[in-house]
C-alpha cells in the first residue's frame, strides 16, 4: 500500500515486513504497525523486520528516524532548494528531530537500543509498554543516535 497526501504533506508505504512514513513537523501518521507523532522537523521514519518474518512477529526490527542533512556550506539559489549553487564540504550537518513512535504488537520481551551508523549498540533506550504496543521518544541528535533497533 502506498499513500501520498499532498495537502497534509505525508507519505506512507506499508508492507508486511516494512513501513515508511514521512511526517511534517507537528503532524502524526500511522501505518498498520508504526505510528509517529512528530514534534520537531519533518522526518522520514522507517521500520523493517530483519529476517523473513512480518513486523509484528519479527525477532529484530530496525528503525530509522531521518531528518534533513546537507554538507556544511552547501548553497542553494532559491528557497525551495531546487537550484544548487555549491555542493558544500564535510562535515555533513543533520537537522535536529524529535518524535514519539509507537509499535503495534506484543513486544513484552523486546529491548530498544540506540546504535551508531556502524551498527554498534550505544545504549539501551527506555520503552513505554501498554496493552498491545510499545512507545518511545526518538531524538535524532540525542547522544549522536543515528538509528534504533528493537530486538528480543
Amino acid at each position: 500500500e502506498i499513500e501520498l497526501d499532498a495537502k497534509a504533506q505525508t507519505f506512507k508505504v506499508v508492507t508486511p515486513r516494512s513501513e515508511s512514513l514521512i511526517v511534517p513537523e507537528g503532524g502524526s501518521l500511522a501505518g498498520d504497525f508504526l505510528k509517529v507523532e512528530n514534534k520537531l522537523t519533518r522526518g522520514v521514519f522507517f521500520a523493517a523486520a530483519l529476517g523473513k518474518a512480518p513486523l509484528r512477529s519479527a525477532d529484530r526490527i530496525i528503525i530509522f528516524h531521518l531528518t534533513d542533512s546537507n554538507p556544511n556550506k552547501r548553497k542553494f539559489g532559491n528557497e525551495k532548494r531546487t537550484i544548487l549553487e555549491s555542493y558544500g564540504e564535510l562535515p555533513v550537518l543533520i537537522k535536529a528531530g524529535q518524535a514519539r513512535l509507537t509499535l503495534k504488537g506484543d513486544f513484552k520481551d523486546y529491548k530498544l537500543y540506540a546504535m551508531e551508523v556502524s551498527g554498534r549498540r550505544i545504549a539501551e533506550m527506555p520503552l513505554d509498554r501498554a496493552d498491545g504496543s510499545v512507545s518511545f521518544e526518538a531524538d535524532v541528535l540525542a547522544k549522536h543516535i543515528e538509528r534504533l533497533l528493537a530486538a528480543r
Side-chain angles (χ1 to χ4, degrees):
E1 171 186 327
I2 299 174
E3 181 181 303
L4 170 66
D5 185 336
K7 186 175 180 180
Q9 298 180 356
T10 61
F11 180 76
K12 173 171 53 173
V13 177
V14 174
T15 75
R17 292 183 48 232
S18 66
E19 291 191 8
S20 183
L21 307 174
I22 299 176
V23 186
E25 181 173 354
S28 63
L29 186 64
D32 294 342
F33 173 78
L34 174 65
K35 178 183 176 186
V36 173
E37 298 169 68
N38 198 17
K39 299 174 184 177
L40 179 64
T41 306
R42 181 178 72 150
V44 176
F45 303 86
F46 178 72
L50 298 177
K52 296 186 181 192
L55 279 167
R56 289 180 192 262
S57 59
D59 287 334
R60 296 189 318 157
I61 300 164
I62 191 148
I63 301 164
F64 290 89
H65 174 195
L66 308 170
T67 60
D68 193 18
S69 60
N70 278 294
N72 188 36
K73 298 184 182 179
R74 176 169 278 181
K75 186 175 179 186
F76 294 95
N78 60 8
E79 280 189 31
K80 291 186 176 184
R81 301 191 319 175
T82 58
I83 300 170
L84 179 64
E85 292 183 353
S86 171
Y87 286 105
E89 59 190 35
L90 293 176
V92 174
L93 305 176
I94 300 170
K95 196 165 190 177
Q98 297 173 339
R100 180 148 185 92
L101 279 66
T102 301
L103 309 179
K104 298 173 191 170
D106 181 21
F107 297 106
K108 65 180 179 174
D109 296 329
Y110 280 61
K111 294 180 180 181
L112 180 69
Y113 297 97
M115 298 175 66
E116 292 181 330
V117 172
S118 68
R120 184 178 71 85
R121 291 177 180 174
I122 299 171
E124 187 173 338
M125 305 298 291
L127 280 172
D128 297 325
R129 298 175 195 280
D131 289 335
S133 70
V134 294
S135 298
F136 61 93
E137 299 294 325
D139 189 332
V140 170
L141 295 181
K143 299 180 184 177
H144 307 289
I145 294 169
E146 286 86 12
R147 58 185 176 175
L148 301 167
L149 173 71
R152 276 185 219 219

